[in-house]
Amino acid sequence: WLAQLAVEKLAHAPAMGGLKGQATFESWVNFTPTWVALMHRFRHVVFTFWVMVSLLGVYHAETVVSSITSDLATIPGRWQPAYMRDSLQAADALKHKFPSLAGEKAIIRVRRVDGEFVLSDKTHAFCKSLDASVASFLPEGLLLGVDSIYNYWKPTWVSNKPPQFVKELFLTEGDSAMLVVIYLNYSYPEHLDHVVTGVGDMVTNAQLELAGPVAYSVFLGGDLTMRQDMLIAVQSDAAFVHTLTLPIATALLALYFRSLRIMLIPLLTITLSLSASLLITYGASRLLPLHYLVPVLLLCVTLATSVDYCLFFLARLKDEMQKPDGPDKPTYHQAVLASTANGGYAIMTSGIGLAIGFLGLCLFPIDAVVSTGISSAASIVATVAINLTIIPCVLASYPDFWSSAWTAPPPSLSRYEQLSDFAPPKAARAVSKAARPVVPLYCSSCGAPHGGSKFCTNCGAKLPPLTNGVAAAADAAARALSGADAAAP
């Protein structure tokens, strides 16, 4: 019985879903003329808003890059595996007991090149030099201290070699190398370049204490240099996306559209979408730790969706405007409405589905995954909003410029026709009171009907251009007089 009920439900589910989807699409189609009219009426507000968002995103881009981290922090109160829970408890206990040891660290490895026992008076002097340099480092509080084997054992004690448990903490590579740790304040990433340069200078100065017949090699690593390397890697990946992927996507769009004029719209929407994603990433970094993979992933997702959604919209516009001449050929206004209705609906459904999918990442207990889900979903929503506002706004505001993107330039649209097509009814009625230009419907030389062409088909004389409103009357007059004397006035 349960199986039969499930089969019946599944059999009716597609039909019910199809009816709901059809009703939603029809509602959007009915709302499309109002939406395009609103975009045309408030075009200055739309442009100003997205330009401000873009500028803010560019302004905070450097802050976004400097706030990235490699930590996979977790959200308190969320379910976690046992190993992760135990690790977090140990980290919290360490932070509570030894606050200065719980932060990030710069690790220095000093290795004796000949492979002999590394500890000597020279390595002791090396650590003392680092102690003095850290104590005098400005601004105060960024470097919390130096930790080395000499803090726990000195050669003047009972044995010339440290106990085994101390060796395991600081000696490596068969006791031929030792590790020195510099503890860093949590706020040091705000002065990252200054701290990296300062610690590098400290190590260089302390290395002078190792001069002598025995050769030593010194290497600076740890969280300090890893964070700097991550910044360089993120900037390199972003540059790769911008300098390689974006030109390829633009070239493919230009190859498909075959119109340099129409390519201005994808360039505008892609630029605004990428800038908006930077602002969204900045907001996410204020709430959650920003993993170093998030910015690059977000740029790729934003670029892909922006190109796709612009293609959805403009491909339908191209199909409408390139229909053959005939009674079914739409006007420019009808083509804009059709592309907004069909392309806009595809953009909305695709964007909503992607956003919901990325929001599913918020169910994970790891901050890096949660910030990825929130940032990606918000960026996709912003990309949908940009394409559904900017493209109709641009197309409706400058019809003379875009109407000839794929065809020969048509007769110029009058101000009355622009407003009657795209603006609210009040504005159209206000302009309709103005006197419209009177254009002759017959050739002034031979009296033949105008026909809508540039030259008279009877005598070849140049004819004055007709507006769209008069072209229909000219065609009707030509058809009415096709069997009569063409020279009759």
Side-chain angles (χ1 to χ4, degrees):
W1 177 79
L2 289 176
Q4 183 179 3
L5 179 62
V7 170
E8 292 177 356
K9 291 291 185 181
L10 291 175
H12 291 288
M16 294 173 61
L19 292 176
K20 293 180 179 179
Q22 183 66 23
T24 305
F25 176 69
E26 291 178 356
S27 300
W28 169 248
V29 171
N30 295 331
F31 180 69
T32 296
T34 304
W35 177 256
V36 175
L38 289 175
M39 291 300 100
H40 175 71
R41 182 176 183 180
F42 297 103
R43 57 189 180 278
H44 301 296
V45 177
V46 173
F47 288 143
T48 303
F49 174 78
W50 288 118
V51 168
M52 292 298 297
V53 169
S54 178
L55 293 177
L56 287 174
V58 174
Y59 176 77
H60 290 294
E62 185 176 356
T63 306
V64 170
V65 175
S66 63
S67 63
I68 63 175
T69 179
S70 60
D71 294 337
L72 294 176
T74 58
I75 300 175
R78 300 288 291 275
W79 176 87
Q80 300 163 355
Y83 71 89
M84 185 181 294
R85 184 168 56 252
D86 296 340
S87 176
L88 288 176
Q89 291 176 354
D92 291 339
L94 176 65
K95 184 177 180 180
H96 179 72
K97 188 71 175 179
F98 305 100
S100 63
L101 307 182
E104 295 187 356
K105 307 167 185 66
I107 301 177
I108 304 164
R109 187 196 67 174
V110 181
R111 179 178 175 273
R112 184 162 170 166
V113 176
D114 59 7
E116 297 296 326
F117 188 65
V118 67
L119 299 182
S120 65
D121 293 338
K122 291 185 177 298
T123 55
H124 195 187
F126 176 87
C127 294
K128 285 184 177 180
S129 175
L130 283 180
D131 280 328
S133 299
V134 169
S136 60
F137 184 77
L138 296 176
E140 296 181 1
L142 286 182
L143 305 183
L144 302 179
V146 179
D147 200 12
S148 68
I149 193 171
Y150 295 106
N151 293 1
Y152 307 90
W153 172 86
K154 288 182 172 54
T156 56
W157 292 0
V158 178
S159 172
N160 288 332
K161 291 190 177 182
Q164 184 64 28
F165 74 93
V166 177
K167 289 171 56 177
E168 291 177 355
L169 291 175
F170 294 97
L171 299 187
T172 183
E173 299 183 29
D175 298 342
S176 65
M178 74 171 185
L179 302 178
V180 182
V181 180
I182 299 178
Y183 296 105
L184 308 171
N185 190 292
Y186 280 103
S187 63
Y188 89 92
E190 300 177 4
H191 313 273
L192 181 62
D193 293 336
H194 174 64
V195 175
V196 171
T197 303
V199 173
D201 293 340
M202 292 178 192
V203 174
T204 302
N205 293 332
Q207 198 169 354
L208 298 176
E209 303 291 341
L210 300 175
V214 179
Y216 293 87
S217 63
V218 180
F219 175 79
L220 174 61
D223 299 310
L224 179 66
T225 55
M226 184 173 66
R227 183 178 285 273
Q228 187 184 44
D229 291 341
M230 285 192 304
L231 292 180
I232 297 174
V234 169
Q235 294 173 354
S236 176
D237 291 341
F240 174 79
V241 172
H242 290 159
T243 59
L244 180 62
T245 311
L246 184 57
I248 292 177
T250 305
L252 292 176
L253 285 177
L255 185 64
Y256 174 76
F257 289 134
R258 298 184 181 276
S259 173
L260 295 178
R261 185 180 303 182
I262 210 69
M263 282 302 300
L264 296 175
I265 296 179
L267 293 178
L268 176 62
T269 56
I270 292 172
T271 302
L272 293 177
S273 299
L274 293 175
S275 302
S277 69
L278 290 175
L279 183 60
I280 291 171
T281 308
Y282 169 76
S285 67
R286 302 296 93 184
L287 301 175
L288 294 169
L290 187 66
H291 196 261
Y292 68 91
L293 293 176
V294 175
V296 177
L297 175 63
L298 199 59
L299 285 177
C300 294
V301 170
T302 304
L303 177 60
T305 53
S306 181
V307 171
D308 282 349
Y309 295 162
C310 191
L311 180 62
F312 292 165
F313 203 112
L314 296 180
R316 183 54 186 260
L317 180 66
K318 178 183 178 182
D319 293 340
E320 293 292 331
M321 294 183 63
Q322 287 190 330
K323 286 184 177 180
D325 294 335
D328 295 333
K329 182 177 178 61
T331 63
Y332 174 75
H333 173 243
Q334 293 171 342
V336 172
L337 293 181
S339 58
T340 305
N342 293 274
Y345 186 77
I347 291 171
M348 283 191 296
T349 53
S350 174
I352 292 173
L354 280 176
I356 293 175
F358 276 106
L359 285 177
L361 297 178
C362 298
L363 300 177
F364 288 83
I366 302 175
D367 282 350
V369 181
V370 174
S371 62
T372 301
I374 293 177
S375 302
S376 300
S379 296
I380 290 172
V381 172
T383 303
V384 171
I386 288 172
N387 283 271
L388 288 181
T389 55
I390 288 294
I391 299 181
C393 190
V394 168
L395 293 177
S397 300
Y398 307 100
D400 283 340
F401 184 77
W402 304 111
S403 59
S404 58
W406 288 292
T407 59
S412 177
L413 299 179
S414 67
R415 179 64 177 168
Y416 168 80
E417 289 164 331
Q418 293 181 22
L419 289 177
S420 62
D421 281 343
F422 297 111
K426 290 184 179 179
R429 288 197 299 267
V431 178
S432 66
K433 298 179 181 179
R436 301 191 58 187
V438 179
V439 181
L441 299 180
Y442 302 94
C443 176
S444 57
S445 299
C446 65
H450 195 296
S453 60
K454 293 184 178 180
F455 298 94
C456 179
T457 56
N458 187 37
C459 66
K462 187 175 181 180
L463 301 175
L466 294 178
T467 62
N468 285 353
V470 183
D475 293 339
R479 287 194 299 269
L481 295 176
S482 58
D485 186 6

